[in-house]
Amino acid sequence: MFKTRLLSGILLVLIALITIISGGDVLFVTVLLISLIGMSELYKVLKVHNKLLGIVGYVACIAYYGLIRFGKSDMVTLLTIAFLVAVMAVYVFSYPKYRSEQVMLTFFGLFYVAVMLSYVYQTRELTQGAFLVWLIILCSWGCDTCAYCVGMLIGKHKMAPKLSPKKSIEGGIGGILGAALLGAVYALAINQFAAGADANVLEYALICGVGGMISQVGDLAASAIKRNHDIKDYGKLIPGHGGILDRFDSVIFTAPIIYYMLVMVVGLK
């Protein structure tokens, strides 16, 4: 299992390197596909992934990404209203085929997966986005690794005993501090080796620290949904890791937080 997990992890890193470095349409299509797969995994929880209700969700996802790609983000509110009307139309005209919780999950899935993950692409499109987008990965996966190591070494106090018994408060704090440290080291590294990076060490440390804290909420949120529905993993797409939502649960929450911190704190657009 460890070997499978390791090899899958290496492959994920390689894919991330290729797509994020490429940026543009390569990253756009990759994030769109990841979003569609993630929505499918979520929709499978309440068995709407291959039904009309789920199809409406996938169409809304593609439409949303189309708006983002072609600079029509001002129409996202209109899309949201149209999507709500569409899922409710399917609900009432198919009644009693679907339950109300299936309809709410379908609506929720667009925002929880597609909208949140789209900020990976949107961060890459910022000024200096080629450098900044990596903060999302550092916050998410870096915090997870640091939290695990610190928790294993000194973890004693449970963070969420009923939800995730293995996670500790000490591990959570270690993850946040580790993410902040990674952010600072990353800033120093790109200032040294990347022309025009102009990274502020304290800002990068702050952004990664906050991102690391939020990433843990994302991790626990995904676990809560799984426990509510008695499933171990969302899928089997990534051997040793589970599905897209199992691996990107923290990225989902971190990506928009990093984007808006860069826009509001650093002043980038």
Side-chain angles (χ1 to χ4, degrees):
M1 176 60 74
F2 174 76
K3 183 179 179 180
T4 301
R5 186 178 178 85
L6 177 62
L7 291 174
S8 297
I10 293 172
L11 181 59
L12 280 176
V13 171
L14 289 175
I15 293 173
L17 284 170
I18 294 170
T19 57
I20 292 176
I21 290 173
S22 298
D25 288 341
V26 173
L27 180 60
F28 173 79
V29 171
T30 302
V31 177
L32 171 57
L33 290 174
I34 289 174
S35 296
L36 286 170
I37 296 170
M39 286 178 66
S40 175
E41 292 175 350
L42 186 64
Y43 287 173
K44 284 179 182 178
V45 172
L46 284 182
K47 299 178 175 60
V48 298
H49 62 289
N50 58 355
K51 296 181 179 179
L52 180 58
L53 201 58
I55 293 171
V56 171
Y58 304 140
V59 171
C61 173
I62 294 170
Y64 167 75
Y65 272 88
L67 295 178
I68 295 299
R69 174 64 181 81
F70 295 106
K72 301 292 184 180
S73 56
D74 58 317
M75 296 181 65
V76 169
T77 300
L78 175 60
L79 174 65
T80 302
I81 295 169
F83 180 42
L84 177 59
V85 171
V87 294
M88 292 306 292
V90 173
Y91 178 44
V92 298
F93 290 117
S94 301
Y95 192 85
K97 183 176 181 180
Y98 301 106
R99 302 189 307 276
S100 58
E101 56 267 32
Q102 290 176 302
V103 176
M104 289 185 283
L105 179 70
T106 301
F107 188 74
F108 166 75
L110 175 68
F111 298 91
Y112 176 57
V113 184
V115 174
M116 301 285 268
L117 279 177
S118 74
Y119 282 94
V120 174
Y121 169 74
Q122 294 187 67
T123 302
R124 178 64 174 82
E125 292 296 295
L126 289 172
T127 303
Q128 297 187 358
F131 305 125
L132 300 171
V133 70
W134 295 103
L135 295 177
I136 297 172
I137 306 301
L138 286 175
C139 291
S140 305
W141 296 350
C143 176
D144 186 45
T145 302
C146 292
Y148 175 79
C149 293
V150 173
M152 288 292 291
L153 290 172
I154 60 172
K156 293 182 179 180
H157 301 86
K158 302 300 182 183
M159 180 186 295
K162 292 185 178 180
L163 178 58
S164 187
K166 293 183 178 180
K167 293 186 185 298
S168 65
I169 295 175
E170 293 84 355
I173 295 172
I176 295 170
L177 295 177
L181 178 60
L182 287 172
V185 171
Y186 178 64
L188 292 171
I190 61 175
N191 281 337
Q192 180 69 29
F193 299 107
D198 193 27
N200 184 296
V201 175
L202 291 178
E203 286 180 348
Y204 275 44
L206 172 63
I207 289 170
C208 281
V210 173
M213 179 174 60
I214 299 300
S215 75
Q216 297 183 54
V217 177
D219 186 12
L220 289 170
S223 297
I225 295 172
K226 287 191 290 187
R227 284 190 178 275
N228 278 161
H229 296 279
D230 296 319
I231 57 174
K232 183 178 183 297
D233 294 315
Y234 283 103
K236 299 179 180 179
L237 181 66
I238 309 170
H241 293 267
I244 288 294
L245 295 182
D246 295 296
R247 184 64 276 179
F248 288 86
D249 50 5
S250 55
V251 174
I252 285 172
F253 274 57
T254 303
I257 295 298
I258 296 298
Y259 174 87
Y260 284 109
M261 287 191 71
L262 289 170
V263 170
M264 293 187 290
V265 176
V266 183
L268 295 174
K269 291 183 180 180

